[in-house]
């Protein structure tokens, strides 16, 4: 058997057995993959978890000069709509004069510059910020203020007064359209 | 050791690897082995498959909301329905394979010396499988599983002395979330020990295998091809069952959630537990039932010594006939659990009596008679 297989191999550059072995191995690999894939895929998040991880937020109901905070991935995500005056004022600020330099374009989406999307947690001590509504204390820079340590942020979420030294974090997000933001 | 020759790098650093493979790899074998010799291999494959699907189920299973979490797996988890069907069908298949394997060992009388140790491991395999299977059935949180657990745990908690203490330790209280939480752990632990028993069966079978004759056949590729052919048939049956009858032979009441004040009428045990349940149901007293289960395991264990024909004695046709009768008897014992037959308890008693009569009287007498 082995001798005849070897002679076939020399005669035709590849024996019948080589072909059958390859065929068996290939079929086996496909079968193993087909069996394993559902098992691996089952450990992926289900549709509900997937939806929560890519939360879609309606921003059309946010009035100018107010912000809305939603829970996403255990974090308070704050979306604020700027007034024309706030936009102009903050565009005029020289970044190098700030504790954590960042320009206007660093802080907003170029296509939708009136929306600021930040994580509403103070960067010094993790404490929820006040200032979403104009009725709440907003500090000297008309942004947010931390009720725990008194750090102050401007409407773009840039730190203006300590003890915090870092700007508010910006989550990963995309504008689906002018009315909807998808987080994550 | 070929493994060391093939893998000098790993084998020189951990010689145990080569030795481990050598405990069950048979490079050459006598030609003409039966396809049934493949059964332990298929049992191992199924056990590995059950472990794989069981890991996924364990990720999402919640004993405190057992039924709801199974529904969540079936409806929300990606391919969860398929994993559940895999696990259920794997159970059917591993029990089927094990019953056939044990029956064949009795029929071919491979339990005789030097096969006693393999035989005892095989009985152990069935015992661990039965307990693991019952736990898995109970874990579904369905009405049938709940009432099975309700009866078993209440009986165990009402016992006195050592059996009662073991029962309290095992169940930890009456049927409920806390019981299922611990039974889930026992299910996983027993499944792991099942893998160990399967491994030991392989290793012991290698040890007692007859030395390869002069005209031996290499395992690769000849016997491997036979294994693959058997695996293909097995996989075909598995797939048909998994897609068309994933919950074959289990009670429909497990499709509704457990309700502690509504007893489902006629909720039987799954088919693979039926013979054991018939044995238990043949007695009205709990103590006798427990004794019968232990005694049934004991006579199976003792079979190599109850067979008086000796290691190389003749295998007579009469005893072969009685083995087939025993198979029918065990089948009938299982059937007494299901139907609404008014004589079910009496019939179960008769079939149980025959089971013990077969092993304790027929086996020693007929084998001794035929060996002469």
């Amino acid at each position: 058997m082995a001798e005849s297989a070897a002679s076939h191999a020399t005669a035709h550059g590849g024996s019948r057995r080589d072909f059958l072995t390859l065929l068996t191995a290939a079929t086996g690999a496909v079968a193993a993959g087909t069996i394993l894939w559902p098992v691996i895929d089952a450990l992926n998040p289900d549709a509900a978890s997937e939806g929560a991880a890519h939360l879609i937020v309606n921003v059309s109901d946010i009035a100018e000069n107010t912000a809305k905070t939603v829970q996403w991935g255990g974090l308070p995500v704050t979306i604020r709509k700027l007034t024309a005056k706030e936009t102009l004022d903050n565009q005029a600020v020289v970044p190098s004069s700030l504790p954590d330099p960042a320009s206007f374009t660093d802080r907003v989406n170029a296509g939708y510059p009136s929306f600021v999307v930040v994580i509403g947690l103070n960067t010094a001590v993790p404490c929820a910020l006040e200032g979403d509504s104009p009725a709440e204390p907003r500090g000297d820079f008309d942004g947010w203020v931390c009720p725990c340590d008194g750090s102050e942020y401007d409407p773009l979420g840039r730190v203006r007064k300590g003890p915090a030294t870092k700007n508010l974090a910006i989550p990963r997000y995309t504008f689906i359209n002018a009315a909807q933001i998808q987080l994550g | 050791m070929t493994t060391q020759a093939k893998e000098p790098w790993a084998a020189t650093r951990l010689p145990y690897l080569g030795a481990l493979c050598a405990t069950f790899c048979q490079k050459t074998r006598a030609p003409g082995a039966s396809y049934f010799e493949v059964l332990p291999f298929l049992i191992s494959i199924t056990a590995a498959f059950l472990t794989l699907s069981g890991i996924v189920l364990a990720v999402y299973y919640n004993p405190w909301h057992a039924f709801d979490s199974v529904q969540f797996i079936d409806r929300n988890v990606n391919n969860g329905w398929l994993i559940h069907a895999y696990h259920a069908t794997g159970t059917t298949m591993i029990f089927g394979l094990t019953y056939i394997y044990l029956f064949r060992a009795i029929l071919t009388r491979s339990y005789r010396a030097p096969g006693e140790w393999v035989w005892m491991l095989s009985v152990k395999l069935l015992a661990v499988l039965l307990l693991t299977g019952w736990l898995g059935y109970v874990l579904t949180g369905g009405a049938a599983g709940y009432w099975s657990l309700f009866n078993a745990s209440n009986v165990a908690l009402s016992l006195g002395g050592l059996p009662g203490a073991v029962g309290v330790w095992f169940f930890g209280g009456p049927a409920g979330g806390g019981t299922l939480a611990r039974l889930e752990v026992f299910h996983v632990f027993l499944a792991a020990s099942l893998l160990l028993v399967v491994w030991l069966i392989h290793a012991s079978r290698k040890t007692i295998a007859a030395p390869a004759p002069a005209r031996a056949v290499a395992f690769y590729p000849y016997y491997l091809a036979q294994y693959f052919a058997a695996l293909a048939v097995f996989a075909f049956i598995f797939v048909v069952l998994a897609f068309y009858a994933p919950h074959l032979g289990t009670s429909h009441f497990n499709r509704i959630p457990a309700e502690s004040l509504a007893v489902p009428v006629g909720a039987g045990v799954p088919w693979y537990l039926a013979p054991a349940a018939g044995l238990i149901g043949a007695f009205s007293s709990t103590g006798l039932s427990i004794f019968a289960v232990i005694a049934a395991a004991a006579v199976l264990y003792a079979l190599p010594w109850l067979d008086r024909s000796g290691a190389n004695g003749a295998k007579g046709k009469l005893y072969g006939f009685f083995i087939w009768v025993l198979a029918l008897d065990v089948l009938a014992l299982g059937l007494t659990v299901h139907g609404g037959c008014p004589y079910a308890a009496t019939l179960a008693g008769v079939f149980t009596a025959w089971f013990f009569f077969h092993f304790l009287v027929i086996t020693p007498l007929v084998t001794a008679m035929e060996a002469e």
Side-chain angles (χ1 to χ4, degrees):
Chain A
M1 215 46 201
E3 286 79 6
S4 71
S7 67
H8 273 291
T10 45
H12 306 292
S15 71
R16 192 180 151 89
R17 172 170 297 166
D18 288 341
F19 174 70
L20 287 175
T21 306
L22 266 175
L23 198 66
T24 310
T27 313
V30 170
T34 314
I35 291 166
L36 280 178
W37 169 244
V39 176
I40 293 166
D41 187 40
L43 294 180
N44 281 324
D46 63 87
S49 311
E50 196 68 32
H54 300 283
L55 186 67
I56 295 174
V57 185
N58 178 14
V59 295
S60 63
D61 58 350
I62 302 174
E64 279 193 355
N65 201 28
T66 65
K68 150 167 158 177
T69 298
V70 293
Q71 290 292 324
W72 172 75
L75 293 167
V77 173
T78 303
I79 304 157
R80 176 164 173 154
K81 193 168 188 186
L82 302 174
T83 61
K85 182 175 180 297
E86 282 168 344
T87 307
L88 286 173
D89 286 355
N90 283 287
Q91 276 171 330
V93 174
V94 179
S96 58
S97 68
L98 299 170
D100 185 6
S103 69
F104 183 82
T105 50
D106 289 340
R107 302 293 299 174
V108 298
N109 184 303
Y112 303 89
S114 59
F115 286 104
V116 173
V117 184
V118 291
I119 290 176
L121 280 182
N122 183 18
T123 53
V125 290
C127 195
L129 298 173
E130 289 179 340
D132 279 4
S133 122
E136 291 176 24
R138 283 183 153 182
D140 298 339
F141 302 91
D142 202 29
W144 290 275
V145 62
C146 174
C148 304
D149 70 357
S151 299
E152 290 181 17
Y153 298 86
D154 68 18
L156 298 184
R158 298 180 295 194
V159 66
R160 290 299 188 89
K161 202 178 128 201
T165 55
K166 296 274 180 203
N167 298 337
L168 294 181
I170 298 177
R172 193 168 62 214
Y173 69 92
T174 42
F175 272 93
I176 298 173
N177 52 47
Q180 286 177 310
I181 291 178
Q182 183 163 35
L183 298 170
Chain B
M1 254 169 264
T2 47
T3 320
Q4 283 181 341
K6 268 186 200 163
E7 299 176 287
W9 190 86
T12 50
R13 281 153 185 82
L14 193 57
Y16 181 66
L17 281 180
L20 201 64
C21 179
T23 56
F24 78 108
C25 300
Q26 254 179 294
K27 278 197 302 166
T28 54
R29 294 180 180 194
S34 161
Y35 264 94
F36 285 105
E37 292 291 324
V38 174
L39 285 173
F41 163 72
L42 292 180
I43 290 174
S44 330
I45 292 273
T46 319
F49 196 65
L50 281 167
T51 308
L52 198 66
S53 51
I55 288 170
V56 175
L57 295 180
V59 167
Y60 295 104
Y61 180 73
N62 177 354
W64 299 95
H65 305 280
F67 189 82
D68 290 345
S69 68
V70 174
Q71 291 297 310
F72 180 80
I73 291 168
D74 284 347
R75 292 161 196 271
N76 293 40
V77 172
N78 302 325
N79 302 306
W81 63 274
L82 185 59
I83 309 292
H84 188 184
Y86 276 171
H87 206 66
T89 309
T91 312
T92 296
M93 292 303 266
I94 202 168
F95 270 102
L97 291 168
T98 306
Y99 280 128
I100 295 171
Y101 173 65
L102 286 174
F103 176 66
R104 182 171 180 271
I106 298 177
L107 197 63
T108 61
R109 295 158 88 172
S110 67
Y111 53 79
R112 298 191 299 188
E116 311 101 312
W117 178 248
V118 174
W119 167 254
M120 285 160 70
L121 283 171
S122 311
V123 175
K124 197 167 285 171
L125 175 72
L126 179 66
V128 176
L129 258 184
L130 285 172
L131 191 49
T132 316
W134 181 70
L135 289 177
Y137 173 66
V138 157
L139 286 178
T140 56
Y146 171 82
W147 281 97
S148 186
L149 173 63
F150 176 87
N151 292 330
S153 59
N154 280 358
V155 162
L157 297 176
S158 69
L159 291 173
L162 184 65
V166 172
V168 169
W169 176 85
F170 187 79
F171 291 108
T179 319
L180 289 183
R182 64 168 57 211
L183 294 190
E184 183 193 5
V185 175
F186 293 155
H187 180 77
V188 172
F189 175 77
L190 284 169
S193 51
L194 189 79
L195 295 177
L196 180 68
V197 174
V198 171
W199 167 265
L200 288 176
I201 287 177
H202 279 295
S204 315
R205 279 168 62 89
K206 158 84 187 334
T207 312
I208 60 160
R215 286 186 68 253
V217 175
F219 182 84
Y220 175 81
Y222 303 104
Y223 270 115
L224 190 64
Q226 189 189 25
Y227 273 50
F228 280 171
L231 185 63
V233 173
F234 168 82
F236 180 73
I237 299 170
F238 192 104
V239 165
V240 169
L241 285 180
F243 286 101
Y244 292 98
H247 301 285
L248 183 76
T250 60
S251 172
H252 292 287
F253 285 107
N254 253 8
R255 248 68 116 238
I256 54 172
E259 169 72 64
S260 59
L261 294 179
V263 189
V265 177
V269 292
W271 72 268
Y272 45 81
L273 298 176
L279 189 69
I280 292 167
F283 300 93
S284 50
S285 124
T286 311
L288 277 177
S289 292
I290 294 172
F291 178 76
V293 169
I294 295 170
V299 293
L300 282 173
Y301 258 79
L303 181 58
W305 296 276
L306 290 172
D307 185 323
R308 305 308 303 165
S309 60
N312 297 309
K315 298 173 187 173
K317 282 212 169 69
L318 182 61
Y319 188 62
F321 169 75
F322 277 120
I323 292 168
W324 282 101
V325 173
L326 175 74
L328 290 178
D329 178 67
V330 171
L331 214 61
L333 187 60
L335 287 176
T336 60
V337 180
H338 285 290
C341 173
Y343 311 112
T346 320
L347 285 173
V350 171
F351 296 138
T352 302
W354 179 264
F355 179 86
F356 287 105
F357 183 72
H358 172 92
F359 283 110
L360 295 175
V361 180
I362 292 177
T363 301
L365 285 183
V366 177
T367 52
M369 194 179 78
E370 289 187 328
E372 279 166 9

